[in-house]
């Protein structure tokens, strides 16, 4: 007769639910989303509620209940403490853990990809936006560019903006980033430098 270890079974069921909500680096959809589509199952309802997320949460809750069954018998003192903070534990397990795990996977994958790179190749462009303001009665565009340095040392790089559909003249901006620093770089363009500003002008990162 096989003896069931409820704490192991509960953990396994919980991980199965968690797996449905995991998104591998480089993929646009979660594992659960891909499985549902592979078996022609509906992914979302009429109110855009994700059936994948609901299924994952239900499986996770079942896993928690199975684990709690074991905890209540084997360690009743810890079970009593759990019941006091049950809503907090459930919120962390069902919401924070999937988000945190996906974030960890994404960060680890990027770190691995950029780990072998040096200089400008170890700098990633994360995001950017431009807003128009007025300075000394002249229109200017302030662009905020977010960069991350994956290099294991501080480095100075140059943001090179060539002549393009957006800019009349080339522009160079120096940026200094600490080890593994994520930094917002402000680049300002005057009205006479601009042809047609549509978001961040084309640029390259140079050492």
């Amino acid at each position: 007769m096989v003896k069931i270890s409820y704490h192991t079974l509960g953990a396994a069921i919980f991980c199965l639910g968690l797996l449905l909500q995991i998104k591998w680096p480089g993929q646009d959809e979660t594992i659960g989303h891909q499985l549902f589509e592979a078996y022609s199952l509906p992914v979302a309802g009429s109110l855009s509620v994700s059936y994948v997320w609901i299924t994952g949460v239900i499986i996770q809750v079942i896993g928690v209940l199975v684990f709690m069954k074991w905890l209540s018998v084997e360690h009743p003192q810890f079970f009593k403490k759990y019941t006091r903070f049950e809503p907090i534990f459930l919120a962390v397990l069902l919401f924070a853990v999937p988000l945190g795990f996906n974030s960890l996977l994404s960060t680890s994958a990027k770190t691995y990809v950029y780990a072998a790179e040096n200089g400008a190749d170890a700098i990633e462009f994360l995001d950017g936006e431009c807003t128009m303001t007025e300075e000394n009665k002249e229109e200017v565009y302030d662009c905020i560019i977010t960069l991350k340095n994956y290099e294991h040392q501080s480095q100075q790089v140059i943001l090179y903006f060539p002549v393009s559909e957006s800019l009349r003249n080339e522009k160079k901006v120096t940026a200094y980033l600490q080890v593994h620093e994520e930094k917002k770089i402000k680049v300002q363009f005057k009205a006479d430098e601009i042809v047609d500003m549509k978001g961040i002008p084309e640029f390259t990162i140079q050492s």
Side-chain angles (χ1 to χ4, degrees):
M1 183 177 178
V2 179
K3 183 180 179 180
I4 298 177
S5 299
Y6 284 103
H7 62 300
T8 303
L9 179 61
I13 294 173
F14 178 86
C15 289
L16 178 61
L18 176 63
L19 184 63
L20 293 179
Q21 303 178 60
I22 295 303
K23 182 187 295 183
W24 291 117
Q27 296 186 351
D28 296 327
E29 305 296 346
T30 63
I31 294 175
H33 188 107
Q34 295 175 46
L35 286 174
F36 272 51
E37 288 189 335
Y39 290 96
S40 300
L41 298 174
V43 175
S46 57
L47 298 177
S48 298
V49 177
S50 173
Y51 291 147
V52 176
W53 179 80
I54 292 175
T55 303
V57 168
I58 291 175
I59 294 175
Q60 285 178 290
V61 169
I62 293 173
V64 172
L65 292 176
V66 172
F67 185 85
M68 288 303 108
K69 175 180 174 62
W70 169 83
L71 189 66
S72 64
V73 175
E74 299 294 333
H75 301 282
Q77 69 278 17
F78 290 114
F79 180 73
K80 289 180 180 179
K81 292 181 180 179
Y82 162 78
T83 54
R84 292 182 184 177
F85 304 99
E86 185 174 22
I88 298 176
F89 279 117
L90 288 177
V92 171
L93 289 173
L94 301 180
F95 299 100
V97 170
L99 290 174
F101 201 84
N102 280 327
S103 177
L104 179 63
L105 278 178
S106 177
T107 301
S108 298
K110 286 183 179 181
T111 301
Y112 176 79
V113 169
Y114 285 94
E117 304 294 345
N118 296 302
D121 291 333
I123 302 291
E124 181 188 15
F125 166 57
L126 297 177
D127 191 20
E129 63 176 355
C130 293
T131 56
M132 186 182 72
T133 59
E134 188 172 302
E135 186 176 287
N136 297 325
K137 298 183 179 180
E138 181 182 10
E139 289 185 352
V140 296
Y141 284 85
D142 290 328
C143 296
I144 304 299
I145 297 174
T146 306
L147 305 175
K148 181 161 185 178
N149 177 25
Y150 288 92
E151 182 72 275
H152 295 294
Q153 62 183 10
S154 302
Q155 60 173 319
Q156 179 177 296
V157 294
I158 295 173
L159 307 185
Y160 173 67
F161 298 85
V163 175
S164 63
E165 295 179 354
S166 300
L167 300 178
R168 288 190 173 87
N169 305 305
E170 66 177 27
K171 190 180 187 73
K172 294 182 179 180
V173 177
T174 301
Y176 185 81
L177 291 91
Q178 300 287 347
V179 179
H180 296 166
E181 179 184 17
E182 181 177 314
K183 187 174 184 179
K184 295 183 182 297
I185 310 298
K186 181 179 178 181
V187 183
Q188 191 174 83
F189 298 94
K190 295 182 179 180
D192 58 1
E193 297 178 301
I194 300 168
V195 178
D196 183 20
M197 183 67 77
K198 295 179 179 178
I200 300 293
E202 176 187 345
F203 75 96
T204 58
I205 304 174
Q206 303 176 351
S207 297

